[in-house]
Amino acid sequence: MAYTSGLDLAVVAVSSGSHAEAMRRQFQAPAEIDPVTGERRRGEWVGERLQLRALEDSVLQPVPRRSTEGFHQQKNTYRREYSFEVSPLPDVTELPLVTAWPAIGLEPATTYLELPPPEVLRAGIISLGGDPGRRKYF
């Protein structure tokens, strides 16, 4: 998803067999209610996170935003969905991303995200009103 401020990247990790159990152990605990304040607080990470980084680019580094246990879990498989933000909006047509998760046996792998030319990408962003630089979620 492209915004005037950057990209929102969705990454889905699916594992099977012994890797599924290793992946299941690498998660962020559910949110908890603070017994004193009554406010929700984010659960703590239990294991090592999926790693995603831009290859050879110090500016366009993906920042993790959230992860959720994926739907449609099956026996001997595990699925987790991640959201990363890349900011600012890239001025390139190809963004090489390296994914790794050593804790579950996923060695670094490079994927080349193909983007439209920057002017086409920017022209395709639809403002939903208000501040055009601010993200709107509906």
Side-chain angles (χ1 to χ4, degrees), residues 4-97:
T4 55
S5 60
L7 297 175
D8 189 13
L9 303 176
V11 177
V12 178
V14 180
S15 61
S16 61
S18 62
H19 295 288
E21 187 54 39
M23 188 173 165
R24 189 174 280 112
R25 291 190 304 263
Q26 311 295 315
F27 74 98
Q28 184 173 10
E32 302 170 338
I33 302 296
D34 186 306
V36 175
T37 66
E39 294 181 13
R40 288 176 54 94
R41 64 178 177 211
R42 184 180 288 197
E44 295 190 23
W45 260 134
V46 174
E48 184 181 311
R49 299 178 189 202
L50 171 79
Q51 301 168 5
L52 181 67
R53 65 179 174 83
L55 183 66
E56 302 175 5
D57 193 316
S58 61
V59 176
L60 296 175
Q61 291 302 316
V63 175
R65 290 293 173 219
R66 62 191 164 277
S67 74
T68 60
E69 187 173 43
F71 299 101
H72 310 295
Q73 302 293 13
Q74 298 174 2
K75 187 176 181 178
N76 297 324
T77 64
Y78 188 76
R79 177 182 171 123
R80 195 145 191 101
E81 300 172 4
Y82 295 86
S83 176
F84 290 86
E85 180 180 342
V86 174
S87 184
L89 194 61
D91 279 332
V92 297
T93 56
E94 186 176 83
L95 181 60
L97 298 168

Coordinates of all heavy atoms in Angstrom, one line a residue, residues 4-97:
T4 N 1.6 8.9 0.8 CA 2.5 10.0 0.4 C 3.7 9.9 1.3 O 4.8 10.4 0.9 CB 1.8 11.3 0.6 OG1 1.3 11.5 1.9 CG2 0.7 11.5 -0.4
S5 N 3.6 9.3 2.5 CA 4.7 9.3 3.5 C 5.6 8.0 3.3 O 6.6 7.9 3.9 CB 4.2 9.4 4.9 OG 3.3 8.3 5.2
G6 N 5.1 7.0 2.5 CA 5.9 5.8 2.4 C 5.0 4.6 2.0 O 3.9 4.8 1.5
L7 N 5.6 3.4 2.2 CA 4.9 2.2 1.8 C 4.6 1.4 3.1 O 5.3 1.4 4.1 CB 5.8 1.3 1.0 CG 6.2 1.8 -0.4 CD1 7.2 0.8 -1.0 CD2 5.0 2.0 -1.3
D8 N 3.5 0.7 3.0 CA 3.1 -0.3 4.1 C 3.2 -1.6 3.4 O 2.5 -1.9 2.4 CB 1.7 0.0 4.5 CG 1.3 -0.8 5.8 OD1 2.2 -1.4 6.4 OD2 0.1 -0.9 6.1
L9 N 4.2 -2.4 3.9 CA 4.5 -3.7 3.3 C 3.9 -4.8 4.1 O 4.1 -4.9 5.4 CB 6.0 -4.0 3.2 CG 6.8 -3.0 2.4 CD1 8.3 -3.3 2.5 CD2 6.3 -2.9 1.0
A10 N 3.1 -5.7 3.5 CA 2.6 -6.9 4.2 C 3.5 -8.1 3.9 O 3.8 -8.3 2.7 CB 1.1 -7.2 3.8
V11 N 3.9 -8.8 4.9 CA 4.7 -10.0 4.7 C 4.0 -11.2 5.4 O 3.7 -11.0 6.6 CB 6.1 -9.8 5.3 CG1 7.0 -11.1 5.2 CG2 6.8 -8.6 4.6
V12 N 3.8 -12.3 4.7 CA 3.2 -13.4 5.3 C 4.3 -14.5 5.4 O 4.9 -14.9 4.4 CB 2.0 -13.9 4.5 CG1 1.4 -15.2 5.2 CG2 0.9 -12.8 4.5
A13 N 4.5 -15.1 6.6 CA 5.4 -16.2 6.8 C 4.6 -17.5 7.1 O 3.8 -17.5 8.0 CB 6.4 -15.9 7.9
V14 N 4.9 -18.5 6.3 CA 4.2 -19.8 6.5 C 5.3 -20.9 6.7 O 6.2 -20.9 5.9 CB 3.3 -20.1 5.3 CG1 2.6 -21.5 5.5 CG2 2.3 -19.0 5.0
S15 N 5.2 -21.7 7.7 CA 6.1 -22.7 7.9 C 5.4 -24.1 8.1 O 4.2 -24.1 8.5 CB 7.1 -22.4 9.1 OG 6.3 -22.3 10.3
S16 N 6.1 -25.1 8.0 CA 5.5 -26.5 8.2 C 6.5 -27.4 8.8 O 7.7 -27.1 8.9 CB 5.1 -27.1 6.8 OG 6.2 -27.2 6.0
G17 N 6.0 -28.5 9.4 CA 6.9 -29.5 10.0 C 7.5 -28.9 11.3 O 6.9 -28.2 12.0
S18 N 8.8 -29.3 11.5 CA 9.5 -28.8 12.7 C 9.7 -27.3 12.7 O 9.8 -26.7 13.7 CB 10.9 -29.5 12.8 OG 11.7 -29.2 11.6
H19 N 9.7 -26.7 11.5 CA 9.9 -25.2 11.4 C 8.6 -24.5 12.0 O 8.7 -23.4 12.5 CB 10.1 -24.7 10.0 CG 11.5 -25.2 9.5 ND1 12.7 -24.7 10.0 CD2 11.8 -26.1 8.6 CE1 13.7 -25.3 9.3 NE2 13.2 -26.2 8.5
A20 N 7.4 -25.2 11.8 CA 6.2 -24.6 12.3 C 6.2 -24.5 13.8 O 5.8 -23.4 14.4 CB 5.0 -25.5 11.9
E21 N 6.7 -25.5 14.5 CA 6.8 -25.4 16.0 C 7.8 -24.4 16.4 O 7.6 -23.6 17.3 CB 7.1 -26.8 16.6 CG 7.1 -26.8 18.1 CD 5.7 -26.3 18.6 OE1 4.7 -26.6 18.1 OE2 5.7 -25.6 19.7
A22 N 8.9 -24.3 15.7 CA 9.9 -23.2 16.0 C 9.3 -21.8 15.8 O 9.6 -20.9 16.6 CB 11.2 -23.4 15.2
M23 N 8.6 -21.7 14.7 CA 8.0 -20.4 14.5 C 6.9 -20.0 15.5 O 6.8 -18.9 15.9 CB 7.4 -20.4 13.1 CG 6.9 -19.1 12.6 SD 6.4 -19.3 10.8 CE 5.5 -17.8 10.6
R24 N 6.1 -21.0 15.9 CA 5.1 -20.8 16.9 C 5.7 -20.3 18.2 O 5.0 -19.5 18.9 CB 4.3 -22.2 17.1 CG 3.1 -22.0 18.0 CD 2.3 -23.3 18.1 NE 1.5 -23.5 16.9 CZ 1.8 -24.5 15.9 NH1 2.7 -25.4 16.1 NH2 1.0 -24.6 14.9
R25 N 6.9 -20.7 18.5 CA 7.5 -20.2 19.8 C 8.0 -18.8 19.7 O 8.4 -18.2 20.7 CB 8.7 -21.2 20.2 CG 8.2 -22.5 20.6 CD 9.3 -23.3 21.2 NE 10.5 -23.5 20.3 CZ 10.7 -24.6 19.5 NH1 9.8 -25.6 19.5 NH2 11.7 -24.6 18.8
Q26 N 8.2 -18.3 18.5 CA 8.7 -16.9 18.3 C 7.5 -15.9 18.1 O 7.1 -15.7 17.0 CB 9.6 -16.9 17.0 CG 10.6 -17.9 16.9 CD 11.6 -17.8 18.0 OE1 12.2 -16.7 18.3 NE2 12.0 -18.9 18.6
F27 N 7.0 -15.4 19.1 CA 5.8 -14.6 19.0 C 5.8 -13.5 20.1 O 6.6 -13.5 21.0 CB 4.5 -15.4 19.1 CG 4.2 -15.8 20.5 CD1 3.3 -15.1 21.2 CD2 4.8 -17.0 21.0 CE1 3.0 -15.5 22.5 CE2 4.5 -17.4 22.3 CZ 3.6 -16.7 23.1
Q28 N 5.0 -12.5 19.9 CA 4.7 -11.5 20.8 C 3.5 -11.9 21.6 O 2.5 -12.2 21.1 CB 4.5 -10.1 20.1 CG 4.4 -9.0 21.1 CD 4.3 -7.7 20.4 OE1 4.2 -7.6 19.2 NE2 4.4 -6.6 21.1
A29 N 3.7 -11.9 23.0 CA 2.5 -12.3 23.8 C 1.4 -11.3 23.6 O 1.6 -10.1 23.3 CB 3.0 -12.2 25.3
P30 N 0.1 -11.8 23.8 CA -1.0 -10.9 23.7 C -1.0 -9.7 24.6 O -0.3 -9.7 25.6 CB -2.2 -11.8 24.0 CG -1.7 -13.2 24.0 CD -0.2 -13.1 24.3
A31 N -1.7 -8.7 24.2 CA -1.8 -7.5 25.0 C -2.4 -7.8 26.4 O -3.2 -8.8 26.5 CB -2.7 -6.4 24.4
E32 N -2.0 -7.1 27.4 CA -2.5 -7.3 28.8 C -3.1 -6.1 29.3 O -2.8 -5.0 28.8 CB -1.3 -7.7 29.7 CG -0.5 -8.9 29.2 CD 0.8 -9.0 30.0 OE1 1.3 -8.0 30.6 OE2 1.4 -10.1 30.0
I33 N -4.0 -6.2 30.3 CA -4.6 -5.1 31.0 C -3.8 -4.8 32.2 O -3.6 -5.7 33.1 CB -6.1 -5.4 31.3 CG1 -6.9 -5.8 30.1 CG2 -6.7 -4.2 32.1 CD1 -7.0 -4.7 29.1
D34 N -3.3 -3.6 32.4 CA -2.5 -3.2 33.5 C -3.4 -3.2 34.7 O -4.5 -2.5 34.7 CB -1.9 -1.9 33.3 CG -1.0 -1.5 34.5 OD1 -1.4 -1.5 35.6 OD2 0.2 -1.1 34.2
P35 N -3.2 -4.0 35.8 CA -4.1 -4.1 36.9 C -4.2 -2.8 37.7 O -5.2 -2.6 38.4 CB -3.5 -5.2 37.8 CG -2.1 -5.4 37.4 CD -2.0 -4.9 36.0
V36 N -3.2 -2.0 37.6 CA -3.2 -0.7 38.4 C -4.0 0.4 37.6 O -4.9 1.0 38.1 CB -1.8 -0.2 38.7 CG1 -1.8 1.1 39.4 CG2 -1.1 -1.3 39.6
T37 N -3.6 0.6 36.3 CA -4.2 1.7 35.5 C -5.5 1.2 34.7 O -6.2 2.1 34.3 CB -3.2 2.3 34.5 OG1 -2.9 1.2 33.6 CG2 -2.0 2.7 35.3
G38 N -5.6 -0.1 34.5 CA -6.7 -0.6 33.7 C -6.5 -0.4 32.2 O -7.3 -0.7 31.4
E39 N -5.3 0.1 31.8 CA -5.0 0.3 30.4 C -4.4 -0.9 29.7 O -3.7 -1.7 30.4 CB -4.0 1.5 30.2 CG -4.7 2.8 30.7 CD -3.7 4.0 30.5 OE1 -2.7 3.8 29.8 OE2 -4.0 5.1 31.1
R40 N -4.6 -1.0 28.4 CA -4.0 -2.1 27.7 C -2.6 -1.8 27.4 O -2.2 -0.7 27.1 CB -4.7 -2.3 26.3 CG -6.1 -2.9 26.4 CD -6.7 -3.0 25.1 NE -6.0 -3.7 24.0 CZ -6.1 -5.0 23.7 NH1 -7.0 -5.7 24.4 NH2 -5.4 -5.5 22.8
R41 N -1.7 -2.8 27.6 CA -0.3 -2.6 27.2 C 0.1 -3.8 26.4 O -0.4 -4.9 26.5 CB 0.6 -2.5 28.5 CG 0.6 -3.7 29.3 CD 1.5 -3.6 30.5 NE 1.4 -4.7 31.3 CZ 1.6 -4.8 32.6 NH1 1.8 -3.6 33.3 NH2 1.5 -5.9 33.3
R42 N 1.0 -3.5 25.4 CA 1.5 -4.5 24.5 C 2.2 -5.6 25.2 O 3.0 -5.4 26.1 CB 2.4 -3.8 23.5 CG 2.9 -4.7 22.4 CD 3.8 -4.0 21.5 NE 3.0 -3.0 20.7 CZ 3.5 -2.5 19.6 NH1 4.7 -2.7 19.2 NH2 2.7 -1.7 18.9
G43 N 2.0 -6.8 24.8 CA 2.7 -8.0 25.3 C 4.2 -7.9 24.9 O 4.5 -7.3 23.9
E44 N 5.0 -8.6 25.6 CA 6.4 -8.6 25.3 C 6.8 -9.7 24.3 O 6.1 -10.7 24.2 CB 7.2 -8.8 26.6 CG 7.0 -7.7 27.5 CD 8.0 -7.8 28.7 OE1 9.1 -8.4 28.6 OE2 7.7 -7.2 29.7
W45 N 7.9 -9.5 23.5 CA 8.4 -10.5 22.6 C 8.9 -11.7 23.4 O 9.6 -11.5 24.3 CB 9.5 -10.0 21.8 CG 9.2 -9.5 20.4 CD1 9.6 -8.3 19.9 CD2 8.4 -10.1 19.4 NE1 9.1 -8.2 18.6 CE2 8.4 -9.3 18.3 CE3 7.7 -11.3 19.3 CZ2 7.8 -9.6 17.1 CZ3 7.0 -11.6 18.1 CH2 7.1 -10.8 17.0
V46 N 8.6 -12.8 22.9 CA 9.1 -14.1 23.6 C 10.3 -14.6 22.9 O 11.2 -15.1 23.5 CB 8.0 -15.1 23.6 CG1 8.5 -16.4 24.2 CG2 6.8 -14.6 24.4
G47 N 10.3 -14.4 21.6 CA 11.4 -15.0 20.8 C 12.1 -14.0 19.9 O 12.0 -12.8 20.1
E48 N 12.7 -14.5 18.8 CA 13.4 -13.6 17.8 C 12.4 -13.3 16.7 O 11.6 -14.1 16.3 CB 14.6 -14.3 17.3 CG 15.4 -13.5 16.3 CD 16.6 -14.3 15.8 OE1 17.3 -14.9 16.6 OE2 16.7 -14.3 14.5
R49 N 12.4 -12.1 16.2 CA 11.5 -11.6 15.2 C 12.0 -12.0 13.8 O 13.2 -12.2 13.6 CB 11.3 -10.1 15.2 CG 10.8 -9.6 16.5 CD 10.7 -8.1 16.4 NE 10.4 -7.6 17.8 CZ 9.8 -6.4 18.0 NH1 9.6 -5.6 17.0 NH2 9.5 -6.0 19.2
L50 N 11.0 -12.0 12.9 CA 11.4 -12.1 11.5 C 12.2 -10.8 11.1 O 11.8 -9.7 11.6 CB 10.1 -12.1 10.6 CG 10.2 -12.0 9.1 CD1 10.6 -13.3 8.5 CD2 8.9 -11.5 8.5
Q51 N 13.2 -11.0 10.3 CA 14.0 -9.8 10.0 C 13.8 -9.5 8.5 O 13.7 -10.3 7.6 CB 15.5 -10.2 10.1 CG 15.9 -10.6 11.5 CD 17.3 -11.2 11.6 OE1 18.0 -11.3 10.6 NE2 17.6 -11.7 12.7
L52 N 13.6 -8.2 8.3 CA 13.4 -7.7 6.9 C 14.2 -6.4 6.8 O 14.1 -5.5 7.7 CB 11.9 -7.4 6.7 CG 11.6 -6.8 5.3 CD1 11.8 -7.9 4.2 CD2 10.1 -6.4 5.2
R53 N 15.1 -6.3 5.8 CA 15.9 -5.1 5.6 C 16.0 -4.8 4.1 O 15.9 -5.7 3.3 CB 17.2 -5.2 6.3 CG 18.1 -6.3 5.7 CD 19.5 -6.4 6.4 NE 20.3 -7.5 5.9 CZ 21.0 -7.4 4.8 NH1 21.1 -6.3 4.1 NH2 21.7 -8.5 4.5
A54 N 16.2 -3.6 3.8 CA 16.5 -3.2 2.4 C 18.0 -3.5 2.1 O 18.9 -3.2 2.9 CB 16.2 -1.7 2.2
L55 N 18.2 -4.1 1.0 CA 19.6 -4.4 0.6 C 20.3 -3.1 0.1 O 19.8 -2.4 -0.8 CB 19.5 -5.4 -0.6 CG 20.9 -6.0 -1.1 CD1 21.5 -6.8 0.0 CD2 20.6 -6.8 -2.3
E56 N 21.4 -2.8 0.7 CA 22.3 -1.7 0.2 C 21.6 -0.4 0.2 O 21.8 0.5 -0.7 CB 22.9 -2.0 -1.2 CG 23.7 -3.3 -1.2 CD 24.1 -3.6 -2.6 OE1 23.9 -2.8 -3.6 OE2 24.7 -4.7 -2.8
D57 N 20.7 -0.1 1.2 CA 20.1 1.2 1.3 C 19.9 1.6 2.7 O 19.1 0.9 3.4 CB 18.7 1.2 0.6 CG 18.1 2.6 0.4 OD1 18.2 3.4 1.3 OD2 17.6 2.9 -0.7
S58 N 20.6 2.6 3.2 CA 20.6 3.0 4.6 C 19.3 3.8 5.0 O 19.0 3.9 6.1 CB 21.8 3.8 4.9 OG 21.9 4.9 4.2
V59 N 18.6 4.3 4.0 CA 17.4 5.2 4.3 C 16.1 4.4 4.2 O 15.3 4.5 5.1 CB 17.4 6.3 3.3 CG1 16.1 7.1 3.5 CG2 18.6 7.2 3.4
L60 N 16.0 3.5 3.2 CA 14.7 2.8 3.0 C 14.6 1.5 3.8 O 14.3 0.5 3.3 CB 14.5 2.5 1.5 CG 14.3 3.8 0.7 CD1 14.2 3.4 -0.8 CD2 13.1 4.6 1.1
Q61 N 14.9 1.6 5.1 CA 14.9 0.4 5.9 C 13.5 0.2 6.5 O 12.9 1.1 7.1 CB 15.9 0.5 7.1 CG 17.3 0.4 6.6 CD 17.6 -0.9 5.9 OE1 17.2 -1.9 6.3 NE2 18.4 -0.7 4.8
P62 N 12.9 -1.0 6.3 CA 11.6 -1.3 6.8 C 11.5 -1.3 8.3 O 12.4 -1.8 9.0 CB 11.3 -2.7 6.3 CG 12.2 -2.9 5.1 CD 13.4 -2.1 5.5
V63 N 10.5 -0.7 8.9 CA 10.3 -0.6 10.3 C 9.1 -1.5 10.7 O 8.0 -1.3 10.1 CB 10.0 0.8 10.8 CG1 9.7 0.9 12.2 CG2 11.2 1.7 10.4
P64 N 9.3 -2.5 11.6 CA 8.1 -3.4 11.9 C 7.1 -2.6 12.6 O 7.3 -1.7 13.5 CB 8.8 -4.4 12.8 CG 10.0 -3.9 13.3 CD 10.5 -2.8 12.3
R65 N 5.8 -2.8 12.2 CA 4.7 -2.1 12.9 C 3.8 -3.1 13.7 O 3.4 -2.7 14.8 CB 3.8 -1.5 11.8 CG 4.4 -0.3 11.1 CD 4.6 0.8 12.1 NE 5.4 1.9 11.6 CZ 6.3 2.5 12.2 NH1 6.5 2.3 13.5 NH2 7.0 3.5 11.7
R66 N 3.5 -4.2 13.2 CA 2.7 -5.2 13.9 C 2.8 -6.6 13.3 O 3.2 -6.7 12.2 CB 1.2 -4.7 13.9 CG 0.6 -4.7 12.6 CD -0.8 -4.0 12.6 NE -1.2 -3.6 11.3 CZ -0.9 -2.5 10.6 NH1 0.0 -1.7 11.2 NH2 -1.3 -2.3 9.4
S67 N 2.3 -7.5 14.1 CA 2.2 -8.9 13.6 C 1.0 -9.6 14.2 O 0.6 -9.2 15.3 CB 3.5 -9.7 13.9 OG 3.6 -10.1 15.2
T68 N 0.5 -10.5 13.5 CA -0.7 -11.2 14.0 C -0.6 -12.7 13.6 O 0.0 -13.0 12.6 CB -2.0 -10.7 13.4 OG1 -2.0 -10.8 12.0 CG2 -2.3 -9.2 13.8
E69 N -1.1 -13.5 14.4 CA -1.2 -14.9 14.0 C -2.1 -15.0 12.9 O -3.2 -14.5 12.9 CB -1.7 -15.8 15.2 CG -1.6 -17.3 15.0 CD -2.0 -18.0 16.2 OE1 -2.9 -17.7 16.9 OE2 -1.3 -19.0 16.4
G70 N -1.7 -15.7 11.8 CA -2.5 -15.8 10.6 C -3.7 -16.7 10.8 O -3.8 -17.5 11.7
F71 N -4.7 -16.5 9.9 CA -5.9 -17.2 9.9 C -5.7 -18.6 9.2 O -4.7 -18.7 8.5 CB -7.0 -16.4 9.2 CG -7.3 -15.1 9.9 CD1 -6.8 -13.9 9.4 CD2 -8.1 -15.1 11.0 CE1 -7.1 -12.7 10.0 CE2 -8.4 -13.9 11.7 CZ -7.9 -12.7 11.2
H72 N -6.6 -19.5 9.4 CA -6.5 -20.8 8.7 C -5.3 -21.6 9.1 O -4.7 -22.2 8.2 CB -6.6 -20.6 7.2 CG -7.7 -19.7 6.7 ND1 -9.0 -20.0 6.9 CD2 -7.7 -18.5 6.1 CE1 -9.8 -19.0 6.4 NE2 -9.0 -18.1 6.0
Q73 N -5.0 -21.6 10.4 CA -3.9 -22.5 10.8 C -4.3 -23.9 10.6 O -5.5 -24.3 10.8 CB -3.6 -22.2 12.3 CG -3.3 -20.8 12.7 CD -1.9 -20.3 12.1 OE1 -1.3 -21.0 11.3 NE2 -1.4 -19.2 12.6
Q74 N -3.4 -24.7 10.2 CA -3.6 -26.1 10.0 C -2.6 -26.9 10.8 O -1.6 -26.4 11.2 CB -3.5 -26.5 8.5 CG -4.5 -25.8 7.6 CD -4.2 -26.0 6.1 OE1 -3.3 -26.7 5.8 NE2 -5.0 -25.4 5.3
K75 N -2.9 -28.2 11.0 CA -2.0 -29.1 11.7 C -0.7 -29.1 11.0 O -0.6 -29.3 9.8 CB -2.6 -30.5 11.8 CG -1.8 -31.4 12.7 CD -2.5 -32.8 12.8 CE -1.7 -33.6 13.7 NZ -2.3 -34.9 13.9
N76 N 0.4 -29.0 11.7 CA 1.8 -29.1 11.2 C 2.2 -27.9 10.4 O 3.2 -27.9 9.7 CB 2.1 -30.4 10.5 CG 2.0 -31.6 11.4 OD1 2.3 -31.5 12.6 ND2 1.4 -32.6 10.9
T77 N 1.4 -26.8 10.4 CA 1.7 -25.6 9.7 C 1.5 -24.4 10.6 O 0.7 -24.5 11.6 CB 1.0 -25.3 8.4 OG1 -0.4 -25.1 8.7 CG2 1.2 -26.4 7.4
Y78 N 2.2 -23.3 10.4 CA 2.0 -22.1 11.2 C 2.1 -20.9 10.3 O 3.0 -20.9 9.4 CB 3.0 -22.0 12.3 CG 2.7 -20.9 13.3 CD1 1.7 -21.0 14.2 CD2 3.4 -19.7 13.2 CE1 1.4 -19.9 15.1 CE2 3.2 -18.7 14.1 CZ 2.2 -18.8 15.0 OH 1.9 -17.7 15.9
R79 N 1.3 -19.9 10.4 CA 1.2 -18.8 9.6 C 1.2 -17.5 10.4 O 0.4 -17.4 11.4 CB 0.0 -18.8 8.7 CG -0.2 -17.7 7.8 CD -1.6 -17.9 7.1 NE -1.9 -16.7 6.3 CZ -2.1 -16.7 5.0 NH1 -2.1 -17.8 4.3 NH2 -2.5 -15.5 4.4
R80 N 2.1 -16.5 10.1 CA 2.1 -15.3 10.8 C 2.2 -14.1 9.8 O 2.9 -14.3 8.8 CB 3.3 -15.2 11.7 CG 3.2 -14.1 12.7 CD 3.8 -14.6 14.1 NE 3.5 -13.6 15.1 CZ 2.6 -13.7 16.0 NH1 1.9 -14.8 16.0 NH2 2.3 -12.8 16.9
E81 N 1.4 -13.1 10.1 CA 1.4 -11.9 9.1 C 2.0 -10.7 9.8 O 1.8 -10.4 10.9 CB -0.1 -11.7 8.8 CG -0.8 -12.9 8.1 CD -2.2 -12.7 7.9 OE1 -2.8 -11.6 8.2 OE2 -2.9 -13.7 7.4
Y82 N 2.8 -10.1 9.0 CA 3.6 -8.9 9.5 C 3.3 -7.7 8.7 O 3.1 -7.8 7.5 CB 5.1 -9.2 9.4 CG 5.5 -10.3 10.4 CD1 5.5 -11.6 10.0 CD2 6.0 -10.0 11.6 CE1 5.8 -12.6 10.8 CE2 6.3 -11.0 12.5 CZ 6.3 -12.3 12.1 OH 6.6 -13.4 12.9
S83 N 3.4 -6.5 9.3 CA 3.3 -5.2 8.6 C 4.6 -4.4 8.9 O 5.0 -4.3 10.0 CB 2.1 -4.5 9.1 OG 2.0 -3.2 8.5
F84 N 5.2 -3.9 7.8 CA 6.4 -3.1 7.9 C 6.1 -1.8 7.2 O 5.3 -1.7 6.2 CB 7.6 -3.8 7.2 CG 8.1 -5.0 7.9 CD1 7.6 -6.2 7.7 CD2 9.1 -4.9 8.8 CE1 8.0 -7.3 8.4 CE2 9.6 -6.0 9.5 CZ 9.1 -7.2 9.3
E85 N 6.8 -0.7 7.6 CA 6.6 0.6 7.0 C 8.0 1.0 6.4 O 9.0 0.8 7.1 CB 6.2 1.6 8.0 CG 6.1 3.0 7.4 CD 5.6 4.1 8.4 OE1 5.1 3.7 9.4 OE2 5.8 5.3 8.1
V86 N 8.0 1.4 5.2 CA 9.2 2.0 4.5 C 8.9 3.5 4.3 O 7.9 3.8 3.6 CB 9.5 1.3 3.2 CG1 10.6 1.9 2.5 CG2 9.8 -0.2 3.4
S87 N 9.7 4.3 4.8 CA 9.5 5.7 4.7 C 10.9 6.4 4.5 O 11.9 6.0 5.1 CB 8.9 6.3 6.0 OG 8.6 7.6 5.9
P88 N 10.9 7.4 3.5 CA 9.9 8.0 2.7 C 9.5 7.1 1.6 O 10.1 6.0 1.4 CB 10.6 9.2 2.2 CG 12.0 8.9 2.1 CD 12.3 7.9 3.3
L89 N 8.6 7.5 0.8 CA 8.1 6.8 -0.4 C 9.4 6.6 -1.3 O 10.0 7.6 -1.7 CB 7.0 7.6 -1.1 CG 6.2 6.8 -2.2 CD1 5.5 5.7 -1.6 CD2 5.2 7.8 -2.9
P90 N 9.7 5.4 -1.7 CA 10.9 5.2 -2.5 C 10.8 5.9 -3.9 O 9.8 6.0 -4.5 CB 10.9 3.7 -2.7 CG 10.1 3.1 -1.6 CD 9.0 4.2 -1.4
D91 N 12.0 6.4 -4.3 CA 12.1 7.0 -5.7 C 12.8 6.0 -6.6 O 13.6 6.4 -7.4 CB 13.0 8.3 -5.6 CG 12.2 9.4 -5.1 OD1 10.9 9.4 -5.4 OD2 12.7 10.4 -4.5
V92 N 12.5 4.7 -6.4 CA 13.1 3.7 -7.3 C 12.0 2.8 -7.8 O 10.9 2.8 -7.4 CB 14.1 2.8 -6.4 CG1 15.3 3.6 -5.9 CG2 13.4 2.1 -5.3
T93 N 12.4 2.0 -8.9 CA 11.4 1.1 -9.4 C 11.6 -0.4 -8.9 O 10.8 -1.2 -9.2 CB 11.4 1.1 -11.0 OG1 12.7 0.8 -11.4 CG2 11.0 2.5 -11.5
E94 N 12.7 -0.6 -8.3 CA 13.0 -1.9 -7.7 C 13.6 -1.7 -6.3 O 14.6 -1.0 -6.1 CB 14.0 -2.6 -8.6 CG 14.3 -4.0 -8.2 CD 15.2 -4.8 -9.1 OE1 16.4 -4.6 -9.0 OE2 14.7 -5.5 -10.0
L95 N 13.0 -2.4 -5.3 CA 13.4 -2.3 -3.9 C 13.8 -3.7 -3.5 O 13.0 -4.5 -3.2 CB 12.3 -1.7 -3.1 CG 12.7 -1.5 -1.6 CD1 13.9 -0.6 -1.4 CD2 11.4 -1.0 -0.8
P96 N 15.1 -4.0 -3.4 CA 15.6 -5.3 -3.0 C 15.4 -5.4 -1.5 O 15.9 -4.6 -0.7 CB 17.0 -5.4 -3.4 CG 17.4 -4.1 -4.0 CD 16.3 -3.2 -3.9
L97 N 14.7 -6.5 -1.0 CA 14.5 -6.7 0.4 C 15.0 -8.1 0.8 O 14.8 -9.0 0.1 CB 13.0 -6.6 0.7 CG 12.3 -5.3 0.4 CD1 10.8 -5.5 0.5 CD2 12.8 -4.2 1.4

